[in-house]
Amino acid sequence: QLAGVAVIAFGLWLRFGGVMADFASDKRSPEYFFMGLYVLVGAGALMTTVGFFGCCGAARESQCLLGAFFACLLVIFAAEITAGVFAFIGKKVAIQEAQKIYEDIYDDYMKNPGGKVNRTIYHLHTALQCCGKDGIEQQMGLPCPENIQLPKASCLVEIQKVIDANLHLVGIVGIAIAGITVSKSMFSF
């Protein structure tokens, strides 16, 4: 239950606080990206509910609640495996979508340099430590961080590097969580 509450809190913080709050305030925010955060919050709620079934089933020694706990863990395990497979298969699509988001923000900035997108593009440049599509736009008036070392790869290349590097980390965490789910299933027996 505590892990579920932590996942809910983390998902809400990513969506409404921290760096993502700046992206959410942009009128062209990528809603399908935020849907992933809503799914994270939903998964936390499911984890909390499943934890409740497990705690009550163990405290009352109820076969019905322990069976429901096991069934929920089985569904969660299948969803974890499916999500992991789709994450690795869809890596190229994820890179293309993230690059398209950056290109849209970049084009909006070039049309209206004083608009709200100014802050969004600056946060992206700071997070990725890059500047522009070609990596040489610091002279063109883009809001680039002062501490990046030029010549730096373009942000499109940096997006690809970040997704490539972090997708393996997501896979490792997913495997660890799946292992914990299997161990919980064994304990429920």
Side-chain angles (χ1 to χ4, degrees):
Q1 284 177 320
L2 291 177
V5 170
V7 169
I8 291 171
F10 183 67
L12 290 174
W13 177 76
L14 281 177
R15 174 60 177 93
F16 297 108
V19 177
M20 296 306 295
D22 293 328
F23 297 135
S25 65
D26 189 11
K27 73 178 178 183
R28 291 195 60 197
S29 63
E31 274 304 312
Y32 55 87
F33 178 74
F34 293 125
M35 281 192 279
L37 297 178
Y38 297 140
V39 168
L40 186 65
V41 170
L46 180 65
M47 287 172 62
T48 303
T49 305
V50 169
F52 177 75
F53 285 145
C55 288
C56 288
R60 301 251 179 195
E61 296 181 8
S62 169
Q63 295 281 338
C64 181
L65 285 176
L66 286 175
F69 177 68
F70 177 76
C72 288
L73 286 180
L74 190 63
V75 169
I76 290 170
F77 180 72
E80 288 170 350
I81 297 298
T82 304
V85 168
F86 281 125
F88 284 110
I89 289 174
K91 180 173 78 168
K92 186 175 181 179
V93 173
I95 291 170
Q96 290 171 347
E97 288 295 323
Q99 289 174 335
K100 183 176 179 340
I101 290 169
Y102 177 78
E103 288 175 339
D104 290 345
I105 291 170
Y106 178 87
D107 292 340
D108 283 350
Y109 177 79
M110 288 307 200
K111 290 177 188 169
N112 183 13
K116 287 176 74 174
V117 92
N118 187 354
R119 206 170 60 177
T120 303
I121 200 165
Y122 179 75
H123 284 300
L124 278 171
H125 288 163
T126 304
L128 295 171
Q129 284 296 298
C130 63
C131 191
K133 287 185 187 180
D134 299 324
I136 57 171
E137 281 93 347
Q138 194 163 17
Q139 295 84 14
M140 293 177 54
L142 271 175
C144 300
E146 295 99 25
N147 58 352
I148 66 170
Q149 292 138 8
L150 294 175
K152 181 74 172 176
S154 76
C155 287
L156 299 177
V157 173
E158 290 300 316
I159 288 170
Q160 181 175 357
K161 286 180 185 177
V162 166
I163 291 175
D164 281 337
N166 292 327
L167 196 60
H168 292 85
L169 180 63
V170 170
I172 291 168
V173 170
I175 290 170
I177 291 173
I180 292 169
T181 303
V182 168
S183 69
K184 286 180 186 177
S185 300
M186 297 303 169
F187 285 127
S188 73
F189 279 125

